[in-house]
Amino acid sequence: MIDNNISPFIKWAGGKRQLLPYIKEKMPLKYKNYIEPFIGGGAVLFGITPDKAIINDINKALINVYNQIKYNPIELMDFLSKIDIQSDVEPKEYYYKKREIFNDKIMKSEYDIELASLFIYLNKHCFNGLYRVNSKGLFNVPFNNSLAKSFNEDNIKAVSRYLQKVTILEGDFEVACQNAQEGDFIFLDSPYAPLNDNSFEAYTKEGFDIESHKRLAILFDRLTKKGCFCMLTNHNTVFIEDLYKNYSREVIKVRRYINSDANNRKGEEVIITNY
Ligand SMILES: C[S@@+](CC[C@H](N)C(=O)[O-])C[C@H]1O[C@@H](n2cnc3c(N)ncnc32)[C@H](O)[C@@H]1O
């Protein structure tokens, strides 16, 4: 463990802060590399700060933020400070203007420091910290009416120091796990399986469908045969129970914050382990 004073620098749908105490309690005492193929906001990574970690996500704009914090934290904070100062005058108009610039850069594939600063600013000022995109992959979440600062300087510096030892990958979860070795610990927190037939999770324009969940279960079996420690979290549904029926399961009651439907704020999550 390296630095215990790190917090996620963004809010993220499906963030695992609430489950962290259970995850810590159930993780293996000793392991070689830590691999997190669905890193999102990194609540688990920053909660446990393993010495040797490999992180990955399919969201290219998100991975660009991790890389910019790792390699250019000071310049990134300069960009963010300027954005925050300018946003004070007409915050709502400013937000939509910045959202347009962000989407313009996504369309031009400009994955740079400016895009990273816009990503963090939009995340802190959008409704519920959601990253929702339309069919063209463009960010479309409305303003949340907050004037909060986009970042905490000490935290960005601490995250940057910690990330120096972390390998950052971008792409599909299966590729991220292809070099996993016996004794590695792999924490798998994919987008949720549907709670019912009408619900779906759209983190990226690709989404994560039923076939992806089945592919993940096959990977879980493969990693188990290799001798890796695997831990997976999801909604406690019949579909997930069935996919992982050969493994240990612990059901945990949680409060759901990200869903705007008040009836759906409580639920059950399951932690599945192969050890
Ligand atoms: C539930 S979130 C992870 C949340 C994270 N544990 C946290 O605490 O913030 C799931 C993540 O999986 C990513 N994702 C979706 N499909 C993927 C794929 N095929 N391969 C890798 N990552 C994917 C999404 O972009 C999203 O960031």
Side-chain angles (χ1 to χ4, degrees), residues 197-209:
D197 291 342
N198 299 325
S199 81
F200 75 104
E201 315 290 332
Y203 289 88
T204 65
K205 65 181 191 303
E206 289 85 1
F208 201 83
D209 56 14

Side-chain angles (χ1 to χ4, degrees), residues 12-17 36-44 56-59 62 171-174 187 189-192 203-204 207-208 215:
W12 204 247
K16 284 296 161 300
R17 264 193 176 178
E36 194 171 344
F38 304 95
I39 189 69
V44 178
N56 175 77
D57 203 283
I58 206 165
N59 185 324
L62 172 68
D172 184 64
F173 65 90
E174 241 184 298
F187 176 66
D189 181 30
S190 74
Y192 285 117
Y203 289 88
T204 65
F208 201 83
R215 199 159 59 84

Side-chain angles (χ1 to χ4, degrees), residues 9 17 72 128 133 145-146 151-152 187 205 257 264 273:
F9 49 84
R17 264 193 176 178
N72 302 311
N128 264 346
V133 292
N145 287 314
S146 124
F151 69 106
N152 173 302
F187 176 66
K205 65 181 191 303
Y257 294 106
N264 206 2
T273 49

Side-chain angles (χ1 to χ4, degrees), residues 31-65:
Y31 53 89
K32 288 182 186 156
N33 295 295
Y34 175 78
I35 306 178
E36 194 171 344
F38 304 95
I39 189 69
V44 178
L45 176 82
F46 297 134
I48 63 179
T49 53
D51 291 337
K52 286 193 212 151
I54 299 168
I55 61 170
N56 175 77
D57 203 283
I58 206 165
N59 185 324
K60 203 168 173 174
L62 172 68
I63 289 301
N64 175 54
V65 179

Side-chain angles (χ1 to χ4, degrees), residues 86 94-102 118 121-122:
Q86 291 165 7
Y94 189 78
Y95 173 87
Y96 287 104
K97 217 161 70 190
K98 290 292 172 194
R99 195 177 80 173
E100 218 174 291
I101 297 172
F102 177 83
L118 289 168
Y121 159 77
L122 291 173

Side-chain angles (χ1 to χ4, degrees), residues 29-126:
L29 290 176
K30 272 195 174 168
Y31 53 89
K32 288 182 186 156
N33 295 295
Y34 175 78
I35 306 178
E36 194 171 344
F38 304 95
I39 189 69
V44 178
L45 176 82
F46 297 134
I48 63 179
T49 53
D51 291 337
K52 286 193 212 151
I54 299 168
I55 61 170
N56 175 77
D57 203 283
I58 206 165
N59 185 324
K60 203 168 173 174
L62 172 68
I63 289 301
N64 175 54
V65 179
Y66 278 93
N67 276 318
Q68 297 295 345
I69 293 182
K70 178 172 178 174
Y71 296 112
N72 302 311
I74 304 298
E75 213 184 331
L76 178 71
M77 288 191 285
D78 282 350
F79 267 92
L80 274 170
S81 302
K82 284 186 192 126
I83 292 178
D84 278 355
I85 289 171
Q86 291 165 7
S87 82
D88 280 354
V89 187
E90 284 182 318
K92 190 171 174 184
E93 288 74 6
Y94 189 78
Y95 173 87
Y96 287 104
K97 217 161 70 190
K98 290 292 172 194
R99 195 177 80 173
E100 218 174 291
I101 297 172
F102 177 83
N103 283 329
D104 193 50
K105 288 178 77 68
I106 293 276
M107 280 190 289
K108 293 182 187 149
S109 290
E110 288 174 1
Y111 291 92
D112 55 14
I113 194 151
E114 188 188 359
L115 189 83
S117 60
L118 289 168
F119 188 108
I120 296 176
Y121 159 77
L122 291 173
N123 175 271
K124 290 289 162 68
H125 296 86
C126 75

